[in-house]
Amino acid sequence: MPEGDTVHKLAAALAAVLCGRAVDSALLEGRSAASLTGGKVEQVSASGKHLFIVFDSGLMLRSHLGMYGTWHAYAAGQPWRKPERQASIVLAADGKRFVCFNAREVELVGRDSLRRKDLMGRWGPDLVVAEDFRLLAARARALLSPATLLVDVLLDQRVASGVGNVYKSEVLFLEREPPVRRLGTLSDHGLANLYRCAAGLLRSNLGGGRRVTRCVHDGRGSLWVYKRRGRPCHVCGTGIVRGVMGRHLRATYWCPDCQA
């Protein structure tokens, strides 16, 4: 699943090629979107894991990539790398095709509509731009039960948006918190630190290249625990453990010694 930093980088890449250009044609879920034809793209932005393409008509095209969504760009006549039936969005502009495959959600909303306001109220502050981590800790306590596992706290986009499965495991390791710890047993300071750490990692990965949470150039990898099951912990040498846990039964990686 693309995480918040990936969606922000995607928004920047699409903005560079779409902003100021008129859309010649548009398809949403295989159907013509005539209301977008001829419209000029004013802005492409990200909010958490949601991508917004804003048109001068006041319409906004929202997409959420979910687990398997990807955006591709194709020159005229260039064969697609995925089947046409998997195309959720197709925008034709300046002789090119910009295609979003396998999006979990696609929706066209008005920029000032009640629907957009309702949507924006459903997820928490974007960690890429969030500043008050104590506020996020308070939101978590207000929205979630004290019995909620930390793996579920970090993934709950209603509290703060942007964290996915990779950062979930990496943040818990860096803060030395066991993934099965309950929200109610963690102090406000400790909870705020989880979000502060997540925000730092997301922001540090907004540039190009692979995702990095471990800035040690020793040839032993750029991540601390994610997808390192059975391999030695970079800190203590204990074998990294993988478990499927939490409300959505997502894979989590941790060090049973460092995160005891």
Side-chain angles (χ1 to χ4, degrees):
M1 175 183 289
E3 312 215 5
D5 55 346
T6 301
V7 181
H8 274 270
K9 288 188 283 189
L10 174 59
L14 286 173
V17 293
L18 281 176
C19 283
R21 289 182 167 82
V23 170
D24 301 318
S25 64
L27 295 174
L28 304 184
E29 305 288 5
R31 297 184 294 275
S32 174
S35 58
L36 296 181
T37 301
K40 185 180 294 185
V41 175
E42 286 189 341
Q43 181 185 28
V44 184
S45 62
S47 178
K49 297 184 179 184
H50 300 259
L51 183 112
F52 291 92
I53 300 176
V54 184
F55 294 84
D56 59 358
S57 62
L59 291 174
M60 301 178 68
L61 178 56
R62 179 183 71 89
S63 60
H64 188 305
L65 295 181
M67 291 286 290
Y68 307 109
T70 58
W71 276 87
H72 296 185
Y74 297 101
Q78 182 181 0
W80 292 5
R81 299 192 300 276
K82 288 181 179 291
E84 184 176 349
R85 66 178 182 276
Q86 295 181 15
S88 305
I89 301 171
V90 182
L91 299 178
D94 199 24
K96 297 181 180 179
R97 297 289 186 273
F98 300 91
V99 188
C100 178
F101 292 101
N102 301 313
R104 189 175 81 181
E105 298 173 6
V106 171
E107 184 178 11
L108 197 59
V109 298
R111 179 164 42 192
D112 301 317
S113 66
L114 292 176
R115 171 60 178 166
R116 177 179 178 270
K117 293 177 182 178
D118 176 62
L119 284 168
M120 297 299 288
R122 293 185 183 185
W123 58 82
D126 187 333
L127 281 167
V128 170
V129 297
E131 296 180 355
D132 191 343
F133 302 107
R134 290 176 298 178
L135 174 63
L136 297 182
R139 283 178 62 90
R141 297 207 189 281
L143 291 169
L144 306 176
S145 161
T148 306
L149 298 178
L150 290 188
V151 291
D152 287 330
V153 172
L154 286 173
L155 289 180
D156 198 314
Q157 305 298 298
R158 296 175 302 166
V159 178
S161 56
V163 171
N165 221 34
V166 179
Y167 285 125
K168 174 198 71 179
S169 292
E170 296 295 290
V171 166
L172 290 174
F173 175 81
L174 287 167
E175 293 298 313
R176 300 298 189 263
E177 294 290 355
V180 293
R181 186 170 185 174
R182 307 281 178 174
L183 173 61
T185 68
L186 188 63
S187 69
D188 287 349
H189 178 73
L191 186 53
N193 280 345
L194 290 181
Y195 291 114
R196 183 177 290 106
C197 179
L201 293 178
L202 285 161
R203 294 168 189 176
S204 68
N205 281 282
L206 290 177
R210 63 181 179 177
R211 180 175 289 125
V212 175
T213 62
R214 179 176 180 265
C215 300
V216 182
H217 304 292
D218 57 4
R220 297 171 60 198
S222 59
L223 301 176
W224 290 101
V225 292
Y226 187 73
K227 286 196 173 180
R228 297 192 66 248
R229 178 171 60 175
R231 298 172 65 183
C233 172
H234 290 305
V235 174
C236 70
T238 303
I240 298 300
V241 176
R242 176 187 182 275
V244 176
M245 62 181 66
R247 178 185 172 194
H248 299 291
L249 298 178
R250 303 292 303 280
T252 302
Y253 299 81
W254 75 96
C255 172
D257 188 21
C258 292
Q259 296 169 257

